[in-house]
């Protein structure tokens, strides 16, 4: 995994921290694109966040308005919101207008396909004991019977009261997805995630219309327009936008507005340190994904209690980079002059 961080300072001493990421290839490309467009921010008013998003977008428009180019913009956009909230003395959630002080959370990192079944049961029980509210399991094995066995075993182990989700990571074709969704109806799942290719909106819509178990998707989409197409097709019950992937908080809020108008539930993907704030600012109850992968990068930790993630009350994101993050830094570049 590669992380892209933006540390921003104004002439009067205010600071902001932003982030984006790439789980596989693309990190060096994000960094290179960010370095090219960063000078466009110099001399601008940091309060004009939407204007600055557009300026950064057009500075790199020849690279496109989705994917890697907007993911690079995302780090600047998050930093601008963090700066604005810090300057106001508010958490990011409060700046945006929070509906709640905590969000429901679920664990993914204990349920990967390579995890043996016995360890899967141990991991799931440990997460519940820790106070995490739900458990998500990866499915999509070549042998579908293994998927069924694992889901059935975890449901029996945890009981009916623990929220349980599954994630196929786009591994099924339409006939397989129909069969598996039908079989999984018996397990009272919160959702079935990415049963089909991320861009198969018609296929996802057919599943959403056919089954009681909600369909969740959206994490792989990288623009407001792509999410708009998904919403118009009614292709999800749970929308799963990823703020860094779509270009930051500015486009995320546009997506969330469309989702709310369509009556969809929201479950932002990954980056819990950011999404805990954005989830708290959505009109209806949200789920936020608990991944502890990024914890070594920050000095602060999120609090989990009674199945919920507590929204930090510190100004902005409430985060500062750790010494470990700085030690792992491979490339950096600086623009402008320090105040």
């Amino acid at each position: 995994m590669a992380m892209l961080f933006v540390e921003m300072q104004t002439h009067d001493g205010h600071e902001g921290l932003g982030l984006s990421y790439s789980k596989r290839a693309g990190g060096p490309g994000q960094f290179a694109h960010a370095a090219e467009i960063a000078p466009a921010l110099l001399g601008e008013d940091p309060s004009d966040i939407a204007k600055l998003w557009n300026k950064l977008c057009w500075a790199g428009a020849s690279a496109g308005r989705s994917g890697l180019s907007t993911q690079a913009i995302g780090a600047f956009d998050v930093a601008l919101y963090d700066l604005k909230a810090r300057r106001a003395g508010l958490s990011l959630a409060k700046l945006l207008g929070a509906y709640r002080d905590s969000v429901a959370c679920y664990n993914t990192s204990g349920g990967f396909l390579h995890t043996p079944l016995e360890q899967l049961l141990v991991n799931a029980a440990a997460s519940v004991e820790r106070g995490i509210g739900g458990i998500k399991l990866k499915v999509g094995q070549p042998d579908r019977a293994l998927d069924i066995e694992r889901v059935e075993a975890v449901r029996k182990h945890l009981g009916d009261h623990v929220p349980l989700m599954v994630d196929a990571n786009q591994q099924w074709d339409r006939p397989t997805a129909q069969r598996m969704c039908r079989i999984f109806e018996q397990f009272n799942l919160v959702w079935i995630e990415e049963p089909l290719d991320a861009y198969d909106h018609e296929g996802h819509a057919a599943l959403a219309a056919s089954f009681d178990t909600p369909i969740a998707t959206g994490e792989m989409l990288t623009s407001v327009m792509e999410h708009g197409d998904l919403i118009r097709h009614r292709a999800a019950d749970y929308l799963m936008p990823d703020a860094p992937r779509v270009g930051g908080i500015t486009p995320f809020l546009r997506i969330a507005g469309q989702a709310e108008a369509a009556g969809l539930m929201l479950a932002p993907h990954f980056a819990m340190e950011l999404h805990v704030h954005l989830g708290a600012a959505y009109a209806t109850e949200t789920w936020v994904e608990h991944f502890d992968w990024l914890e070594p990068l920050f000095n602060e930790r999120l609090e989990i209690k009674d199945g919920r993630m507590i929204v930090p009350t510190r100004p902005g994101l409430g985060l500062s980079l750790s010494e470990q993050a700085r030690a792992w830094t491979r490339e950096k570049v600086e623009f402008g002059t320090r105040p």
Side-chain angles (χ1 to χ4, degrees):
M1 171 179 283
M3 297 294 302
L4 173 65
F5 289 110
V6 167
E7 294 180 280
M8 187 178 293
Q9 284 186 310
T10 66
H11 282 297
D12 52 359
H14 296 288
E15 298 182 348
L17 173 67
L19 61 93
S20 191
Y21 73 93
S22 177
K23 284 189 175 180
R24 297 183 179 88
Q30 284 187 27
F31 178 82
H33 191 75
E36 282 194 282
I37 63 176
L41 292 179
L42 297 178
E44 292 284 358
D45 185 339
S47 294
D48 298 334
I49 300 177
K51 168 190 168 183
L52 295 180
W53 196 97
N54 286 341
K55 186 175 184 181
L56 290 172
C57 182
W58 286 108
S62 61
R65 287 184 281 172
S66 65
L68 183 150
S69 59
T70 48
Q71 288 165 16
I73 294 173
F76 295 105
D77 190 76
V78 173
L80 286 165
Y81 267 98
D82 184 51
L83 188 155
K84 190 170 188 175
R86 290 194 200 189
R87 188 172 56 194
L90 298 171
S91 70
L92 176 61
K94 293 293 186 184
L95 179 78
L96 298 176
Y99 286 90
R100 60 198 67 87
D101 296 324
S102 67
V103 296
C105 63
Y106 67 96
N107 179 265
T108 296
S109 55
F112 287 107
L113 290 179
H114 60 76
T115 307
L117 177 55
E118 288 305 314
Q119 188 61 49
L120 202 67
L121 301 180
V122 171
N123 293 348
S127 291
V128 173
E129 180 67 24
R130 182 179 172 184
I132 294 172
I135 302 296
K136 189 170 81 175
L137 307 177
K138 298 290 186 176
V139 294
Q141 304 270 7
D143 182 353
R144 308 304 178 205
L146 290 178
D147 286 335
I148 299 167
E149 177 189 7
R150 287 158 68 87
V151 175
E152 185 174 21
V154 172
R155 170 53 81 203
K156 182 177 180 180
H157 186 65
L158 296 179
D160 292 335
H161 67 287
V162 175
L164 185 63
M165 306 85 161
V166 300
D167 182 359
N169 282 125
Q170 309 178 74
Q171 294 304 300
W172 296 332
D173 57 25
R174 289 191 182 186
T176 301
Q178 285 278 346
R179 294 188 184 102
M180 297 302 287
C181 286
R182 186 175 298 112
I183 292 169
F184 283 157
E185 290 272 68
Q186 65 185 299
F187 298 122
N188 189 30
L189 302 177
V190 178
W191 68 63
I192 297 172
E193 184 175 336
E194 284 195 324
L196 299 168
D197 183 276
Y199 292 93
D200 186 359
H201 300 335
E202 291 182 355
H204 279 107
L207 296 175
S210 299
F211 298 104
D212 293 337
T213 304
I215 299 299
T217 190
E219 70 178 66
M220 297 303 295
L221 305 183
T222 59
S223 70
V224 175
M225 182 181 297
E226 290 171 354
H227 280 86
D229 286 342
L230 187 154
I231 293 168
R232 282 189 290 275
H233 278 86
R234 305 297 301 183
D237 301 292
Y238 277 96
L239 197 66
M240 310 188 85
D242 181 318
R245 280 186 178 167
V246 300
I249 296 169
T250 296
F252 182 97
L253 294 177
R254 293 171 181 163
I255 293 166
Q258 293 181 48
E260 181 184 348
L264 301 184
M265 295 171 283
L266 197 72
H269 170 256
F270 197 61
M272 64 183 185
E273 292 83 359
L274 168 59
H275 288 133
V276 64
H277 292 276
L278 301 183
Y282 192 65
T284 58
E285 182 68 82
T286 56
W287 284 95
V288 170
E289 190 169 24
H290 181 273
F291 257 111
D292 56 12
W293 291 2
L294 303 186
E295 284 188 345
L297 303 175
F298 306 109
N299 293 313
E300 299 78 14
R301 296 290 179 270
L302 292 174
E303 181 184 353
I304 308 293
K305 184 178 181 181
D306 297 331
R308 303 182 68 82
M309 189 177 294
I310 310 303
V311 181
T313 58
R314 299 179 296 273
L317 292 171
L319 299 174
S320 57
L321 289 180
S322 67
E323 289 303 314
Q324 182 63 79
R326 300 192 186 281
W328 281 337
T329 299
R330 294 177 56 182
E331 292 185 83
K332 60 182 178 179
V333 63
E334 188 170 323
F335 299 92
T337 58
R338 291 185 179 273

